[in-house]
Amino acid sequence: MGKNANPGFRQHALPLTLLSVVLAWYFLPVLFLGHTFFFRDVMKFGLPEKWFQLHTYMQGAIPYWNPSIFNGVPFMPLLHPNAAYPLNVLLFAGDFPYGYNLFVVVHHAILVFSVYAVMRFWGVSAVAATASALVAGLGGYFLSLVSLGNQLVSTVWTPLVLLAVQKYLLRPHWGWLTVAVGFVVLQILGGSPESCVMSTLMVYFAAVFLTPGRAAHWKRPTLVVAGVSLTAIALTAFQLLPTYRTIQRSVRAWDLDTAFNTKWSLEPEALRHLFAARDFDRFMTASSLEAVPYFPSLYMGILPALALVSAAVLIRRKEVIFWTAVFFVGLFFALGGNNPVYNFLLPFNPLLQMFRYPEKFFFLCAFAMTFLSGYFIDSLFQKRARHRLSPFILACLIFGSVLAGVAVYAHDDHIALSAGVFATVVVLAGMVFTGRMEPRWGRALLLLVVFADLWIAHSRLVPFIDQRLITQPPEVMAGLPEPPPPYRVYTGALDRERFRSKNLFPKAPNLVLSHILEKETASPNLGTVFGLEYADGLMAIELENVWLWTQVFRKSSFDKKQRILERSNVRYWIAGGDLFGRESASHGFGSGSIREFENVLPRAFMVPAMRLGPEIKLLNTYFAEDFDPRKEVLLDQPVDFEPSERFEGAVQSIEYSPNHVTVRTRQEGNGFLVLLDSYFPGWTVRVNGKPAPLLRANHFFRAVPLKSGMHLLHFRYVPEGLVVGQAVTFLVIVAGFVLSLVRTFLRLPVNRWDSLKTP
């Protein structure tokens, strides 16, 4: 490490202030002007999930279960909503939109300041470290993560993990090891396992190849990184064990083919955007989201791109060689299905099979380009740098040729900006090389160039919209009763030919209007923010029963779709204008925005009889036209039950609270309570305070056998694996506390004895 590895705070004041101003300026609309984020996954997952978390926290509970989509699904066990993440406390800042905005901006700030810190620790100058931080703050990859929720939350902790591990390797102290474990815990709870895996690998190899002296021996970094990772995994067992058990009940536990695992691979043609940013002036006027890549921008600036090209001929430090190698490794895997070697390795590598989107490997490329920027600036603007003139000219010729090739191939007018920035860098470097400018002024001016390049390229990359998008309910909800009874809704067309995945936004002239229409038609999952509940929805990890219900629904006729919805407690069909479709109009529903089904089943009801049979037969029976679910309940497991000659029963009340449902019933004769909420392992029921069997009813729902009388049923959800996970986490915390006491105790006698010694 260089002599600037630990500068005083005064040396940091100006760079940190500058970076704070840049962040505040970029995110000014969401911090101070009443706007919010709304693009893509923010609408489908970010806003509804964070609203649900805040709503549950305010009731003094942890959101284990989400009752609002797919008739109820696990929430905290899914991991990606980061329900156990400590920084969710930011959601309590002001009203919900502002709390959500602050949550996103604070994580972006963590990334920017941590990149600055790690670059300074590596001995890079303050100006160069500031440039690297700007590349991270305004770089296309990291700004793209703003709309990708859990990936942003997990990714931003990577530089701090890197910093803490390397500090420990250089000066072993339990404090740094503890800090490293803490950062990895936050990264895991952030909810992106792919980011955690890539971060751990990057930290490990950086520890092996970049740690100077004896600490660089591979055994010590291996033990440290393995110890930090395993300890963090044990500390987060309360989250990871429920996640593991839940994933076993998802379609991801099935064998997925190569085409599925490589669907979102980086297209080779997109590599031109490493040298020239896309034109985002008309970004949100596109007519379809399908035209927008998974990461809307890969552009990290001209400086990082020039640093990559220059690395082999201009800079020969091992750090530069290492990060250049990391870039190309990331690019190799990011190409995914467009890389024949990747396709060959995929069937034999479970780790690669985790990455449904190989583009996520650009994580490695983005961090490599960020760190290379700082090294490049310091190497380029050193005193007595004339000996670098010849290799720099060669690097410029290579880069200029690449830039020209991109311009000719892509016919991209936006290349002019990149060419202008490149020319400015060359002029500044030439003035320093020839002694016409002091290196410090060259660095400072180049810092301005970096800022201008990235700001112009990405000032419109993150879309903002007025907060009223999520504070004012859709107008269509005016037709629903207030407050709504415990019934679900369905949004969208029912005719088979026009059935659209809920992963898509409504068709509209441009992306802004499609996102607004998503809200105005009360589409899931955003409609849950306004108190609506759905029989369908959208999940990042699709559970088996969710997948099955969706497949049966999609493949059914119009009449059967209506029957499926009615028997899933859907009373209201919401759509806008012609979204009802021609087929629905022919069935007498017209073209209004809300229609009410007449034969809808209530959320909970009493049934006098049962039928036992195999799962598939029961599934087909439940949705059949000639089956009456009020007379029989379909079960797939035997139960001790004697039907009564005379049965009469009613549900008196049903109350929901976080992770609980309370139902009061009255009946004469033996029968069943059927609750049209999802059956899922982890749910238990107590009847009049005593444990009772909870049965899988009608394939998807719940049933409880009851005898004559009045009953109070209390349903409770505790995720599978949670209790064991909490025990593991608790034991690790206790073990760590005991070890710290033992170390302190063992040191005390020695210190006291030494203090009593006479010279």
Side-chain angles (χ1 to χ4, degrees), residues 10 30 89 107 112 118 136 159 168-169 213 227 243 304 410 457 464 480 532 541 569-570 579 605 632 651 723 758:
R10 294 179 62 183
V30 296
V89 68
H107 282 85
V112 169
V118 76
Y168 176 80
L169 289 172
T243 298
F464 309 124
L480 297 177
L532 298 179
I541 299 177
N569 185 235
V570 174
L579 286 182
F605 54 96
E632 284 184 305
V651 173
V723 175
T758 56

Side-chain angles (χ1 to χ4, degrees), residues 128-159:
T130 304
S132 286
L134 282 176
V135 169
L138 299 178
Y141 170 81
F142 295 111
L143 284 175
S144 295
L145 294 183
V146 169
S147 63
L148 295 173
N150 61 325
Q151 292 183 56
L152 172 69
V153 174
S154 289
T155 295
V156 301
W157 298 104
T158 299

Side-chain angles (χ1 to χ4, degrees), residues 44 79 82 96 99 114 162 211 234 256 279 313 353 361 386 440 468 485 514 595 621 652 676 722:
K44 299 287 190 180
L79 183 62
N82 46 70
F96 170 67
S114 62
L162 193 61
T211 308
L256 303 177
D279 183 1
V313 296
Q353 294 171 13
F361 281 107
R386 292 182 182 226
R440 59 175 181 169
R468 287 177 294 179
S514 72
R595 286 294 180 270
T621 301
Q652 295 180 316
L676 296 185
L722 178 66

